[in-house]
Amino acid sequence: MRLASYAFIKLGEADTGFSREDLLHYIQYYKEITSKTGQQLDWGYENAAFPYDVDDVDDHLVLASKERGYYKIFLSVQQKDENEQKHTYIQVFLPEKATHGDKGKANEFCKFIAKKVKGELHLFSGKVMSFNKK
């Protein structure tokens, strides 16, 4: 039995206004730039780069794929108090049925988002990548 796994991006204290709508904007932007890469290569790269449909469900976004080798990725934006400071997190959840393809795509997308928001990415493996320019 495969276990569900989590990754998350910790945004800085100044980014407490980050919302699910902002996350949706980044998803659309990611899809646009991968589509342009596909146009330059004269190949349908956008489907290979991001094989998911986005659904806004309750307090999270569901990236679901009908493509072979992929299943689902769940995303949510959460705020938590730590040491009397608010921090915003983008949590990425892979369910038990998630595939290696989902994990790879989730890692790529997490790195993209973490770079854009200059956050601290905690990967599924437990490793941490910091994109904060301090």
Side-chain angles (χ1 to χ4, degrees):
M1 174 196 278
R2 192 177 317 156
L3 296 175
S5 56
Y6 293 89
F8 65 91
I9 302 164
K10 180 179 177 182
L11 286 67
E13 301 89 36
D15 290 322
T16 55
F18 192 88
S19 67
R20 192 168 55 215
E21 288 75 27
D22 295 321
L23 186 55
L24 274 168
H25 168 75
Y26 281 117
I27 291 170
Q28 290 304 323
Y29 179 63
Y30 187 74
K31 290 172 77 169
E32 285 175 28
I33 62 173
T34 56
S35 174
K36 289 178 183 176
T37 300
Q39 289 171 2
Q40 291 174 341
L41 298 172
D42 195 25
W43 179 55
Y45 181 68
E46 65 272 9
N47 292 332
F50 196 83
Y52 300 98
D53 294 320
V54 181
D55 195 13
D56 194 347
V57 179
D58 297 326
D59 62 345
H60 57 276
L61 300 174
V62 179
L63 307 181
S65 181
K66 296 176 185 160
E67 298 290 324
R68 184 175 167 199
Y70 299 99
Y71 181 61
K72 290 183 183 176
I73 300 170
F74 295 89
L75 303 166
S76 66
V77 177
Q78 301 175 6
Q79 289 192 2
K80 295 182 182 177
D81 291 323
E82 286 181 6
N83 303 325
E84 299 180 22
Q85 292 180 338
K86 277 196 186 255
H87 289 278
T88 302
Y89 294 87
I90 300 168
Q91 186 160 359
V92 182
F93 171 72
L94 294 174
E96 288 182 17
K97 290 183 179 181
T99 66
H100 290 289
D102 292 319
K103 189 173 185 177
K105 294 300 179 188
N107 277 326
E108 287 175 29
F109 186 65
C110 285
K111 288 177 189 174
F112 170 79
I113 294 291
K115 287 177 188 176
K116 290 294 181 190
V117 299
K118 297 179 177 75
E120 183 179 275
L121 172 57
H122 295 250
L123 294 162
F124 298 101
S125 65
K127 294 182 180 180
V128 178
M129 298 175 77
S130 182
F131 297 96
N132 191 345
K133 297 180 181 178
K134 282 188 179 180

